[in-house]
Amino acid sequence: MDRRQALAATIRGMEIDLRQPWAIGPVEIPTRLVLAPMAGVSVQAFRRQGRRFGAGLVCSEMVSCAGIEHRNERTLGYLRVASDEHPLAIQIFGSEPRAMAEAARMVEAAGADIVDINYGCPVRKVTKTGAGATLLEDPARACAIVEAVAGAVSVPVSVKMRRGLADGSRACLEVGPALVEAGAASLTLHPRSARQMYTGWADHSLTAELVSLVDVPVVASGDIASRARAQAVLATTGAAAVMVGRAAQGNPWALRELLGEDEGEPSREEVAAELILFVRETVRELGERRASGFLKKFYGWYLGHGRFPRRFKSELTQIDSTEEVEARLLAAAPGAAAVLARLEETLPSGDDVLLELPISVYGGG
């Protein structure tokens, strides 16, 4: 038996039930599956769907503390927290401790169960402001922000970070323990460098090292696209949970597969029904004009995987009316109407929006 076979055998013997609960501070999380914060993706409709499909914790896309502080009306959306999203982490980013603390107070008031701080965004328009992954190269400021935020709120504070700015960086292993001392109740590590963006592979040997250095839960992020991969990462790192991002875009069924509840490929009717529900929820949240453009990337994500013809996906992206998109989907999968009706019966009756605040959202991850 070679080393790879031996490792596979070891992992099989250590299989972890992702349906087991865990906690970040006093916040109980029902499964070990976290839905990642993704800019331009993690709207409320995406988070609510993730909870229905088994994500134990869902996260908002990252929110600019400056956008919150200045009440900027020229924003991409409003922060909404619904009753069926909890537990929910709201992620903020910025470079000034005072402004981050104020933003944290406001997102706690909005209903966040956890305040998450972004030290991982590799996008230039964020890093050039001294925020995102740049803070891994400024440990004193990174710790000052965590200390200020932790002192400003009563909910737990978590931090999502990359390995560092440069390829081969080990900054996360130096900064991570210091962030815990400053008040972080949990850390999420995406062990790619900021320079890598999303290329190459996430080096989860760093995740294992981080787990050994801190006494708070560590969430493993990066390349979690299958149940086998999730099990391997959990078994070899000791992480408390895994974070799923791109694998769940337009494919909530991936979450069930990760949990060991795989029911096979969804039917066309199921796919169309979920997409229609997602469209309706997004229109409710963003309004027809903004939702129409926002949703176009989702059509390819949902209808890919060989589920619908490529031409059909392309046609939907050319349509500006979401009502017409819905009509086309129902025509392509007539049985979706019955599936959709059953889905809507299981949803909460009414959206328990606790607070709405203008926010500024920027690209990144």
Side-chain angles (χ1 to χ4, degrees):
M1 181 183 294
D2 63 22
R3 287 182 59 188
R4 184 175 298 179
Q5 290 172 322
L7 178 60
T10 300
I11 291 169
R12 284 195 297 273
M14 298 174 60
E15 185 160 305
I16 295 165
D17 186 356
L18 272 74
R19 294 167 298 181
Q20 290 180 337
W22 60 296
I24 296 177
V27 178
E28 293 289 330
I29 302 170
T31 72
R32 295 179 182 270
L33 196 57
V34 181
L35 192 60
M38 292 179 283
V41 174
S42 300
V43 292
Q44 188 182 78
F46 183 78
R47 303 191 304 261
R48 295 174 82 175
Q49 183 185 64
R51 289 287 291 121
R52 281 195 294 112
F53 277 79
L57 176 66
V58 295
C59 308
S60 75
E61 54 192 307
M62 65 179 191
V63 181
S64 166
C65 71
I68 293 177
E69 183 178 30
H70 298 304
R71 309 294 200 278
N72 185 355
E73 293 295 337
R74 298 183 63 183
T75 63
L76 295 182
Y78 287 92
L79 177 64
R80 291 179 170 88
V81 177
S83 58
D84 58 344
E85 292 188 71
H86 300 288
L88 166 70
I90 295 181
Q91 187 182 84
I92 59 177
F93 77 97
S95 59
E96 294 298 328
R98 181 203 56 78
M100 289 286 279
E102 179 60 24
R105 291 188 190 97
M106 295 183 74
V107 299
E108 180 183 25
D113 300 292
I114 296 166
V115 175
D116 188 58
I117 301 174
N118 183 303
Y119 289 170
C121 181
V123 175
R124 173 65 179 161
K125 63 183 174 182
V126 171
T127 59
K128 73 179 182 182
T129 68
T134 303
L135 284 160
L136 295 173
E137 304 297 324
D138 190 350
R141 183 179 290 271
C143 290
I145 290 171
V146 169
E147 186 174 4
V149 169
V153 297
S154 61
V155 297
V157 174
S158 61
V159 179
K160 184 173 188 287
M161 57 185 179
R162 293 250 175 166
R163 66 181 297 165
L165 290 180
D167 294 347
S169 173
R170 294 171 61 82
C172 61
L173 302 181
E174 300 171 11
V175 178
L179 297 178
V180 172
E181 287 188 20
S186 178
L187 301 173
T188 297
L189 179 61
H190 182 169
R192 282 184 171 91
S193 69
R195 182 176 297 169
Q196 276 183 278
M197 297 292 284
Y198 297 97
T199 63
W201 290 94
D203 181 3
H204 283 292
S205 67
L206 284 174
T207 309
E209 288 190 65
L210 182 62
V211 169
S212 72
L213 294 173
V214 298
D215 59 0
V216 299
V218 172
V219 179
S221 175
D223 302 332
I224 309 297
S226 68
R227 178 169 173 78
R229 182 62 175 161
Q231 289 291 337
V233 169
L234 288 171
T236 57
T237 65
V242 290
M243 178 173 281
V244 182
R246 288 172 291 168
Q249 292 176 344
N251 191 27
W253 300 274
L255 301 177
R256 287 183 177 165
E257 190 271 332
L258 285 160
L259 291 170
E261 301 172 359
D262 186 18
E263 299 174 2
E265 272 294 301
S267 67
R268 278 192 176 187
E269 289 73 21
E270 291 173 305
V271 172
E274 283 290 347
L275 178 51
I276 290 170
L277 181 60
F278 187 85
V279 168
R280 290 179 179 178
E281 287 282 289
T282 303
V283 170
R284 179 193 58 78
E285 181 179 356
L286 302 181
E288 171 68 21
R289 184 181 62 81
R290 286 170 52 206
S292 177
F294 173 85
L295 286 163
K296 291 183 186 298
K297 57 181 174 284
F298 285 90
Y299 301 151
W301 289 341
Y302 272 91
L303 306 179
H305 309 278
R307 295 167 180 164
F308 284 80
R310 184 172 298 178
R311 174 184 284 185
F312 181 64
K313 293 185 293 180
S314 179
E315 287 174 357
L316 291 190
T317 64
Q318 305 305 311
I319 300 171
D320 290 327
S321 164
T322 59
E323 286 188 4
E324 186 176 347
V325 167
E326 181 174 328
R328 293 281 190 95
L329 286 166
L330 289 172
V339 178
L340 179 62
R342 291 195 297 271
L343 273 178
E344 291 184 318
E345 286 178 0
T346 67
L347 298 178
S349 57
D351 183 23
D352 183 17
V353 177
L354 302 180
L355 184 66
E356 295 185 358
L357 297 170
I359 61 172
S360 293
V361 182
Y362 299 82

